[in-house]
Amino acid sequence: MKRSSAWFCFAALLACFLLSGNSFADERAQKWEEGAGLYKSGKFAESVAVYESLLNVSKPFEKAVLYFNLGNCYYRLGQLNFAILNFERAISLRPWYADARYNLAAAKAKLEYKIEDKRGVFIRLNSLFLQWVNASDFILLALLSLLVLSVSVLFWARASQSSSFWTFPRTEMVFLSVLFIVLWSSKLFYERNYQEGIVIAKEAEVRYGPSLDNQSLMKLGGGLKVFIVDERDDWSRVVTWNGETGWIRNSEIGKVRT
Amino acid sequence: MEKMKQLKIGVLTVLVACAAWAYPIVSFGAEARVIATLDRVQAAVGEDAFLTVRILDGKGNIQAPEFPPIQNLDIHYAGRASRMTLVNGVSSSSLDFSYIVSAKRAGSYTLPALSISVSGVNLQTQPIHFEVRDSGSAPQSRTSSSSASGTSTMPQTVKPSNAQPPAGADNRIFADAQLSKKTVYQNEQVLLNYALFTSFDTRYEGFETEPELSGFWIEEFPMEKEVPREMVSIGGRRYIKAEIKKVALFPTAAGKYTIQPGQIKTTIKQDQQQDSVFDDFFNDSFFNGGNFFSKRETRLLSPRPLEVEVKALPDAGKPASFQGDVGRYQMNATMDRGEVKQNEPVKMTLVIEGTGNVDRVNRPKIPDLKGFRTYEADSKSEISRTQDFISGRKTFEVVFIPKDEGKMFIPPLEFSFFDPVQGVYQTLRTPNFPLTVLKGEAGADLPEEVAVQEDLKKKVQVEGKDIRYLETRVPAPDFLQTARSFAISILAVLNFLFLALAGFFIYRKNHEAYVSQNRSAYRYKKAKSVVMSEINALKKLVHEKDIASQTEFFNYLEKSMNQYFADKWNLSAFGTTRFEIDRRLRQEFGQKDETCQEVMDIYHLCDESRFGRGLIPESSKELALRVFEEVVRYMEKKK
């Protein structure tokens, strides 16, 4: 009697858990469809509110798609700065997101201002390459090459006859593993030292120091991308693509990696 | 040398011939005279009158005469112009000095007689009377103009200009950009004109910074060789105005635009004498480069930004065939023949000509015609830039291939455009072309010569641009990130395991190699661990009381001792004799040490237990074990 009661309790709990998860998923799906419906009927602001509420749930959908949809809504609302921010966020999560890249280019083409990229050729090429891959992709590739390498080492170590270590595929795998680890490190370095930000204010004032008392350096139009290199209180130190550096209020800038 | 001589003779001959030709001209010339004329005798306050001092048949370098200052009357020197004519071998020359006269107050003025030195002779002009009335009075027409006009190349009029130098800029030289309209329709032409105003001898060097014209389709007018120039007056100051650039702009979208006109680079001649630029107006440096040896100073001129409002095209009355063309156009269409065989191509040529952005004129939409295959073939544009307008013609070719025989028609094609002058949409139509289609070859399909012609194939074209649509389908939960993290963890663990396993195998392999190469050292190193485990086993047997256990204890003890000593001294465990053990122990402990004897006694006990009657006391086991332990400890310490 006791054993059957325990089984019954376990089954009931499992059913409750599964049902609650299912109803939660249904609720999210409903919200998603509601957002899409509002977008279709031209109620873009309401659609933004629905999609943004989905960002805060504990187990959201793939965030890249959410940001992509948010970017579309903001684009239709004419808020190019927020559209660009959300497309950038989608791409940072899924670098090969072709639709997001296309829409980002369309939004950027409408910007009134642009910043001339005066970085060195090597840095430009490096950042261009690193844009297309996640840090986790690099570590995944490094681990795969290491796995092939370690299996190969295992066979080599178990072999009764001793042979040279530096033959195929060990040489190649050592090279690939080191390469991917270096790339992963540089990606991590890039992400930690160059947090990308988008100017979300219509026109943001960049100052020489982190207060309103400091002299104004320049004005940045909404939607322009900058690199955040330091933060102090309510201010962020940013570097523009043309090498200028100054301080901007946190409320006027949105971080790409949240 | 001979050649040089011939050259010198040649030059001398030419000079003599020139002198002989010039002699009668000079010698038969009349005496020098001077006349001063004013183009009007009356003028309003602030109004310009033009005074010309003409020297007839004057020779040599004649300086411009200077007027003495006259109260309330401004007299500005405005340049010189010379002319020489030769009629029936008699030459005459004239040199005009121009002045601008304006009065600050109404009244009667007299311009005094001027004294001019011509070839050492002093000539005098007659005094001129000049009446100035208040500016409110009726204007007086010009009374005299003969002396100021003629064939002079000098710009004789000074027009007022509404151009203003940018704030803070040098008002002696500046650039001005003007738009022909402030409000235009989308895709309607607006003219952007650049003019340079200068009081210096100026050389135009081009644009240092190109104008920002994003949002506009641009057609630039070519610069004429003889750039139009004129003398203008701005706020009482005289300038030479030169038009340097003219661009037709076609706004692509509605909205308010601010045009940054760029920066113009000029150089001006330094150490310039006052008014010299007006003397040398047509020999200045604008386009002939000037004197390259004179010092020049660079000036960058930035015209003021311009604003233009672009209106969206009205929705009212927009025809279905409208594709965004703006301007004033005419359309003409012709067919290359009126009779054709089945499956043979017949070509329609559409010519759209007029004023507007001709290059961007869209091909009229061709409807799907029943019984025809249609192919949009070639198109070409011929643009002309006349005066201030972009005009031209665009020719489209359309190929029709009739599939059925009989009497057929090619229906009218429509071309619509927005006329910005009238503010209405206009639609043009081609005629209804009749076409007689004769029976062609049976079963013939698309003729090969047409099928292989790539330019006859319809091109897929992008008709509009927009962002890609949002994701409406409910996406799967974000498994990708979880799967990636899981894969990374699994791979990390697998890597660790494989590498640990590989490390173990490598260690073992190396160890085996070491053991096989250093057997004695290995035995020496391992002796302690082996004997310690055996001592532990012996300690368990010590407390067993029966005879069999005692025998087993001593057998095990003997075996352990033999093994330990053999390992330590790299001897065979089976072939080690007690004599050898005794000898080596004495070497280890010293000849007189009792330990050696005690070890030998243990061996005796072992023999006794194996071959004797079992009368060994129980305490001997513990004693023997302790002695062995002491020996081991001593030997291990000694190493």
Side-chain angles (χ1 to χ4, degrees):
Chain A
M1 188 62 191
K2 275 183 179 175
R3 182 174 283 186
S4 61
S5 301
W7 273 112
F8 177 76
C9 286
F10 174 72
L13 280 170
L14 188 67
C16 284
F17 175 73
L18 290 174
L19 284 172
S20 64
N22 201 32
S23 63
F24 186 57
D26 282 348
E27 197 184 322
R28 283 183 295 154
Q30 273 176 5
K31 278 207 162 189
W32 187 277
E33 281 164 357
E34 185 191 341
L38 287 165
Y39 181 90
K40 270 185 201 170
S41 54
K43 293 173 181 170
F44 305 118
E46 289 87 339
S47 185
V48 164
V50 172
Y51 284 128
E52 280 188 342
S53 71
L54 276 172
L55 276 175
N56 301 322
V57 298
S58 59
K59 284 184 181 175
F61 299 113
E62 192 191 347
K63 276 195 174 176
V65 188
L66 255 175
Y67 284 128
F68 172 71
N69 280 10
L70 271 170
N72 275 25
C73 295
Y74 279 119
Y75 182 91
R76 293 286 178 224
L77 285 169
Q79 296 179 23
L80 291 178
N81 38 8
F82 284 100
I84 289 170
L85 176 65
N86 282 289
F87 289 137
E88 287 277 11
R89 281 176 175 171
I91 292 164
S92 78
L93 292 171
R94 204 205 282 180
W96 293 89
Y97 202 162
D99 285 352
R101 282 191 180 273
Y102 182 91
N103 288 2
L104 176 66
K108 278 185 174 174
K110 284 193 163 186
L111 287 184
E112 196 180 346
Y113 295 97
K114 67 169 186 177
I115 305 178
E116 199 183 344
D117 193 351
K118 286 186 177 173
R119 294 175 299 165
V121 178
F122 176 74
I123 294 173
R124 246 187 288 174
L125 287 175
N126 189 42
S127 68
L128 191 71
F129 170 70
L130 292 176
Q131 269 179 15
W132 288 88
V133 195
N134 273 332
S136 56
D137 293 335
F138 279 132
I139 198 67
L140 203 62
L141 288 168
L143 283 171
L144 274 172
S145 353
L146 270 175
L147 188 69
V148 176
L149 175 68
S150 51
V151 169
S152 163
V153 169
L154 190 65
F155 279 105
W156 173 79
R158 284 210 65 188
S160 55
Q161 287 184 337
S162 59
S163 58
S164 171
F165 180 83
W166 296 107
T167 53
F168 179 82
R170 286 179 291 279
T171 314
E172 288 73 13
M173 288 305 125
V174 166
F175 171 75
L176 282 178
S177 305
V178 170
L179 176 73
F180 288 132
I181 287 168
V182 167
L183 288 172
W184 172 62
S185 312
S186 58
K187 178 77 182 178
L188 280 185
F189 178 82
Y190 182 83
E191 284 184 353
R192 287 189 183 171
N193 292 285
Y194 298 97
Q195 163 74 279
E196 290 172 346
I198 302 293
V199 177
I200 52 172
K202 199 174 179 185
E203 198 173 61
E205 201 155 21
V206 182
R207 293 179 178 274
Y208 278 94
S211 79
L212 291 172
D213 301 334
N214 289 286
Q215 199 186 330
S216 173
L217 168 67
M218 60 183 166
K219 283 190 172 66
L220 289 176
L224 290 177
K225 188 191 262 190
V226 291
F227 297 106
I228 302 167
V229 292
D230 195 5
E231 283 182 73
R232 211 167 292 172
D233 301 328
D234 293 335
W235 293 77
S236 292
R237 187 179 179 184
V238 297
V239 179
T240 58
W241 289 32
N242 59 3
E244 295 290 347
T245 178
W247 294 82
I248 193 167
R249 270 179 290 196
N250 285 347
S251 58
E252 294 178 328
I253 199 165
K255 286 178 183 171
V256 171
R257 284 191 301 279
T258 51
Chain B
M1 283 297 284
E2 193 60 34
K3 273 189 178 177
M4 281 296 290
K5 200 178 263 180
Q6 282 176 358
L7 190 67
K8 279 179 183 172
I9 292 166
V11 170
L12 275 172
T13 313
V14 170
L15 286 174
V16 168
C18 286
W21 178 76
Y23 177 72
I25 300 171
V26 175
S27 59
F28 291 107
E31 277 185 16
R33 287 171 296 147
V34 61
I35 308 163
T37 52
L38 198 61
D39 72 332
R40 60 181 69 188
V41 290
Q42 280 193 350
V45 172
E47 195 178 358
D48 289 340
F50 300 100
L51 172 72
T52 306
V53 177
R54 173 167 290 178
I55 297 158
L56 296 162
D57 299 318
K59 296 182 213 55
N61 184 20
I62 303 168
Q63 294 296 319
E66 283 187 19
F67 279 90
I70 302 167
Q71 199 174 7
N72 295 327
L73 201 64
D74 287 336
I75 305 174
H76 296 290
Y77 177 54
R80 66 198 287 169
S82 58
R83 180 176 61 165
M84 181 174 277
T85 54
L86 184 64
V87 180
N88 298 328
V90 179
S91 73
S92 62
S93 66
S94 67
L95 177 63
D96 290 354
F97 294 101
S98 300
Y99 299 84
I100 300 159
V101 183
S102 64
K104 293 172 188 165
R105 277 191 183 172
S108 183
Y109 297 90
T110 302
L111 300 174
L114 287 173
S115 180
I116 304 162
S117 173
V118 180
S119 305
V121 179
N122 271 335
L123 301 175
Q124 279 213 327
T125 62
Q126 70 283 18
I128 300 172
H129 191 67
F130 184 44
E131 287 290 332
V132 178
R133 65 180 189 284
D134 284 327
S135 52
S137 312
Q140 186 81 15
S141 61
R142 289 170 192 263
T143 55
S144 167
S145 62
S146 60
S147 63
S149 59
T151 55
S152 169
T153 54
M154 185 66 204
Q156 295 298 330
T157 55
V158 180
K159 291 181 186 171
S161 173
N162 59 358
Q164 287 295 322
D170 183 356
N171 65 354
R172 292 171 298 172
I173 178 167
F174 67 94
D176 186 51
Q178 297 276 354
L179 285 168
S180 58
K181 293 175 185 176
K182 296 280 180 195
T183 308
V184 287
Y185 282 106
Q186 188 180 333
N187 213 11
E188 182 190 350
Q189 182 194 306
V190 57
L191 197 69
L192 173 60
N193 251 317
Y194 286 88
L196 195 60
F197 294 83
T198 179
S199 307
F200 298 107
D201 176 349
T202 308
R203 191 189 299 163
Y204 166 59
E205 305 277 3
F207 272 68
E208 179 77 2
T209 312
E210 287 297 325
E212 270 282 332
L213 296 171
S214 53
F216 293 91
W217 181 267
I218 303 157
E219 285 287 348
E220 200 159 332
F221 285 84
M223 264 184 64
E224 291 168 28
K225 200 174 178 185
E226 283 296 323
V227 173
R229 284 167 288 172
E230 58 184 341
M231 193 178 291
V232 295
S233 148
I234 300 168
R237 179 179 279 278
R238 287 164 302 130
Y239 294 91
I240 292 170
K241 176 189 173 188
E243 289 186 1
I244 51 172
K245 190 181 176 94
K246 198 155 69 170
V247 184
L249 306 176
F250 297 92
T252 53
K256 277 194 173 177
Y257 293 85
T258 301
I259 296 170
Q260 299 295 337
Q263 209 171 35
I264 296 151
K265 187 178 178 184
T266 59
T267 55
I268 59 168
K269 194 174 170 183
Q270 289 180 338
D271 306 325
Q272 184 173 263
Q273 296 291 323
Q274 183 66 25
D275 290 334
S276 66
V277 65
F278 300 105
D279 284 341
D280 303 330
F281 186 72
F282 281 87
N283 291 321
D284 66 16
S285 303
F286 252 107
F287 297 99
N288 60 16
N291 182 1
F292 283 97
F293 297 103
S294 60
K295 280 187 177 179
R296 304 196 72 85
E297 181 190 331
T298 302
R299 291 286 179 97
L300 296 174
L301 311 173
S302 302
R304 274 183 289 218
L306 301 166
E307 289 195 342
V308 61
E309 187 181 352
V310 179
K311 293 187 285 184
L313 295 175
D315 288 330
K318 192 182 278 184
S321 55
F322 180 70
Q323 296 181 79
D325 300 305
V326 176
R328 305 190 91 178
Y329 298 104
Q330 290 180 325
M331 183 165 71
N332 184 31
T334 51
M335 299 290 289
D336 66 342
R337 51 189 155 159
E339 197 175 274
V340 68
K341 280 185 180 176
Q342 256 181 291
N343 297 319
E344 276 186 4
V346 56
K347 191 164 70 181
M348 177 193 275
T349 305
L350 280 165
V351 179
I352 296 170
E353 59 185 322
T355 310
N357 195 358
V358 177
D359 197 35
R360 302 287 290 171
V361 162
N362 292 291
R363 181 194 300 269
K365 284 179 184 167
I366 301 159
D368 282 332
L369 301 179
K370 200 178 174 186
F372 285 98
R373 291 177 189 184
T374 54
Y375 296 90
E376 292 170 0
D378 208 4
S379 75
K380 60 180 177 186
S381 308
E382 294 163 49
I383 310 288
S384 57
R385 297 165 178 86
T386 48
Q387 292 180 336
D388 290 343
F389 290 100
I390 298 293
S391 58
R393 58 161 62 190
K394 192 158 185 181
T395 308
F396 299 99
E397 287 180 356
V398 187
V399 173
F400 297 90
I401 300 173
K403 291 190 277 189
D404 308 316
E405 62 173 317
K407 199 86 176 162
M408 304 186 92
F409 288 93
I410 292 174
L413 302 183
E414 281 190 0
F415 171 70
S416 297
F417 61 92
F418 181 76
D419 184 343
V421 179
Q422 295 182 17
V424 291
Y425 290 97
Q426 307 271 10
T427 302
L428 306 173
R429 289 180 184 83
T430 61
N432 196 12
F433 286 107
L435 192 65
T436 307
V437 183
L438 305 172
K439 191 171 174 58
E441 287 178 28
D445 205 344
L446 191 66
E448 200 170 322
E449 66 270 22
V450 175
V452 295
Q453 284 179 28
E454 283 296 319
D455 59 341
L456 291 183
K457 291 186 178 176
K458 288 182 182 179
K459 284 175 190 162
V460 176
Q461 287 178 331
V462 177
E463 291 182 349
K465 276 209 153 191
D466 198 2
I467 55 168
R468 292 187 182 163
Y469 202 62
L470 88 169
E471 187 56 73
T472 51
R473 288 168 300 179
V474 180
D478 194 2
F479 284 132
L480 193 69
Q481 194 58 37
T482 319
R484 188 178 285 164
S485 308
F486 183 70
I488 288 171
S489 312
I490 291 289
L491 279 172
V493 170
L494 278 176
N495 266 308
F496 176 76
L497 286 178
F498 280 120
L499 282 175
L501 211 56
F504 167 72
F505 281 121
I506 290 167
Y507 169 77
R508 204 176 69 174
K509 208 172 177 179
N510 288 343
H511 180 70
E512 281 169 3
Y514 171 79
V515 168
S516 66
Q517 285 170 10
N518 304 288
R519 187 77 201 159
S520 61
Y522 179 70
R523 283 179 72 192
Y524 184 87
K525 218 168 149 183
K526 291 289 288 180
K528 186 186 176 185
S529 61
V530 171
V531 80
M532 288 315 288
S533 65
E534 286 176 345
I535 285 170
N536 286 335
L538 284 166
K539 279 181 180 169
K540 286 178 187 167
L541 287 171
V542 157
H543 303 293
E544 301 288 333
K545 303 285 182 190
D546 56 301
I547 300 291
S549 299
Q550 195 180 53
T551 310
E552 191 189 349
F553 173 82
F554 280 106
N555 281 345
Y556 197 67
L557 180 63
E558 186 183 9
K559 193 180 142 212
S560 299
M561 286 167 67
N562 283 343
Q563 185 66 51
Y564 179 70
F565 293 133
D567 286 343
K568 276 289 174 190
W569 299 323
N570 194 25
L571 302 170
S572 165
F574 301 104
T576 309
T577 60
R578 293 203 183 146
F579 176 74
E580 183 66 20
I581 291 167
D582 186 45
R583 188 180 69 81
R584 289 200 182 235
L585 278 174
R586 286 184 191 284
Q587 277 178 5
E588 294 273 341
F589 290 87
Q591 282 291 338
K592 292 180 179 174
D593 196 289
E594 289 178 355
T595 313
C596 304
Q597 190 52 51
E598 282 171 2
V599 171
M600 287 301 121
D601 289 345
I602 292 170
Y603 274 116
H604 287 306
L605 282 173
C606 291
D607 291 342
E608 182 64 33
S609 96
R610 198 184 305 158
F611 306 114
R613 285 175 293 172
L615 297 174
I616 303 167
E618 278 298 314
S619 59
S620 302
K621 287 199 285 186
E622 274 184 46
L623 195 65
L625 185 59
R626 204 179 315 132
V627 169
F628 182 46
E629 275 184 294
E630 286 293 323
V631 168
V632 168
R633 202 173 295 126
Y634 177 82
M635 286 178 74
E636 290 303 323
K637 232 184 225 175
K638 200 181 173 191
K639 76 179 178 180

